[in-house]
Amino acid sequence: MRTRVFETIAGLRTALSNARREKPIVGLVPTMGALHAGHGRLMEQARAECDLVVVSIFVNPIQFDRAADYEAYPRALAPDVDFCTARGVDVVFAPPDREMYPESPLTFVEVTRISDHLCGAHRPGHFRGVATVVTKLLNVVEPDRAYFGEKDAQQLAVVTRLVRDLNLPVIIVAVGTVREPDGLAISSRNSRLSPDERAIAPALYRALQQAGQLIASGSPNAANILREAAAAIPADPRLRLEYLEIVGAETMLPVERVDRPVRVAGALWVGDVRLIDNILCG
Ligand code: AMP
């Protein structure tokens, strides 16, 4: 069946309230488009667990801390809709900016503490923008289940906590990271890498794996682990490590000793493309 595309909140709400009578369990997969196999995994899981699958495609301006990144973000609605159709998605919600933000918002959702480190420390206002748009999308779609990738583990932790704190009636489902054969986490931003940059981009995942091996071998000291792991990133003028941290798996706060489940998370600039990745350990 062809995927139905809605650009307005009113149109989407009417269609969903009708469809819900026959298809009661609604799953939402929020995305920013430029869809790839990582998004595909979220859609497949939603398709397996829900009666009606909604994918939102919205490049959310208020979560970008750099205008150039927002402008360079890849956008291509027609192939994205085909991608959704091929995965059995019922509905695509692709609102223009003015539909989501008809006026400058005065209300924001902010999840403190979990947003303090990692990307939160380097991208001011990013998680406030994410938490706000996710809350809006959950209010608009009213899904029973919403799907988020572990690739963006801090985002997943922020959303999980905001749903709990605000008593939103939705189950947040975490989906594992989809990688290229050489380990590079699939991302819409990978398309902006030159062939040379693409070849060195797996350096971040290799550093994470190095940290993971040290943790698995019982090494307890986070600073030592991070020093060795960072050394796995080649000295190359195109590579700049923004952060590499070991954080509690739910708190997203740095640990000094690794004595419980942790995430090792990093952000690496490859040329002018910023890549993030993480692994769960322990
Ligand atoms: P984005 O379009 O980048 O905002 O991502 C939309 C959703 O897809 C988020 O929940 C991401 O965590 C998830 N996602 C992005 N890349 C991957 C990947 N390689 N594997 C699994 N999930 C992903």
Side-chain angles (χ1 to χ4, degrees):
M1 216 176 63
R2 187 96 205 130
T3 304
R4 296 180 72 194
V5 182
F6 295 90
E7 294 192 355
T8 67
I9 293 169
L12 177 76
R13 279 195 166 135
T14 305
L16 291 181
S17 71
N18 291 332
R20 258 196 187 91
R21 286 189 214 119
E22 312 237 302
K23 299 181 170 182
I25 309 286
V26 175
L28 171 65
V29 180
T31 81
M32 297 205 298
L35 300 176
H36 54 61
H39 301 115
R41 177 79 59 86
L42 272 61
M43 292 175 201
E44 282 154 20
Q45 188 157 341
R47 186 67 283 167
E49 296 174 356
C50 305
D51 303 316
L52 191 94
V53 177
V54 181
V55 170
S56 62
I57 298 179
F58 180 59
V59 184
N60 175 35
I62 68 164
Q63 73 183 65
F64 284 81
D65 52 314
R66 292 176 309 119
D69 188 28
Y70 173 67
E71 273 142 32
Y73 203 87
R75 294 162 170 89
L77 185 60
D80 281 352
V81 172
D82 291 344
F83 185 100
C84 290
T85 302
R87 281 152 191 84
V89 170
D90 300 287
V91 169
V92 164
F93 177 48
D97 286 5
R98 64 178 180 282
E99 184 70 9
M100 291 299 278
Y101 301 111
E103 55 196 329
S104 248
L106 301 179
T107 308
F108 296 91
V109 179
E110 193 150 359
V111 180
T112 58
R113 230 160 64 204
I114 293 174
S115 307
D116 285 353
H117 286 267
L118 311 175
C119 292
H122 294 272
R123 301 187 65 187
H126 171 65
F127 285 115
R128 186 173 92 145
V130 168
T132 302
V133 81
V134 169
T135 304
K136 284 165 73 75
L137 289 168
L138 294 174
N139 283 335
V140 168
V141 177
E142 298 182 79
D144 299 276
R145 303 167 74 82
Y147 294 80
F148 291 85
E150 287 189 43
K151 149 95 171 23
D152 301 280
Q154 192 174 18
Q155 168 173 284
L156 172 63
V158 163
V159 170
T160 301
R161 185 59 190 249
L162 91 79
V163 159
R164 219 156 67 208
D165 283 352
L166 298 181
N167 304 96
L168 301 184
V170 60
I171 294 167
I172 300 301
V173 183
V175 180
T177 302
V178 181
R179 299 180 180 282
E180 300 283 5
D182 63 4
L184 178 66
I186 298 181
S187 161
S188 307
R189 290 190 169 88
N190 295 355
S191 66
R192 289 168 48 200
L193 297 169
S194 71
D196 285 358
E197 290 168 342
R198 170 64 189 83
I200 53 174
L204 176 58
Y205 182 56
R206 294 206 191 103
L208 298 177
Q209 279 184 310
Q210 171 79 14
Q213 278 160 17
L214 292 166
I215 291 170
S217 70
S219 189
N221 183 299
N224 291 345
I225 295 166
L226 292 173
R227 199 173 316 111
E228 271 197 56
I233 293 179
D236 184 310
R238 294 164 296 180
L239 297 177
R240 184 171 69 78
L241 187 62
E242 185 178 273
Y243 68 77
L244 189 63
E245 290 192 58
I246 301 179
V247 295
E250 284 187 21
T251 64
M252 294 288 134
L253 295 175
V255 300
E256 286 180 13
R257 288 183 62 79
V258 180
D259 52 10
R260 60 201 150 105
V262 292
R263 270 192 200 275
V264 190
L268 179 71
W269 286 87
V270 183
D272 63 1
V273 181
R274 181 177 178 278
L275 302 178
I276 60 168
D277 199 355
N278 70 88
I279 57 170
L280 185 63
C281 302

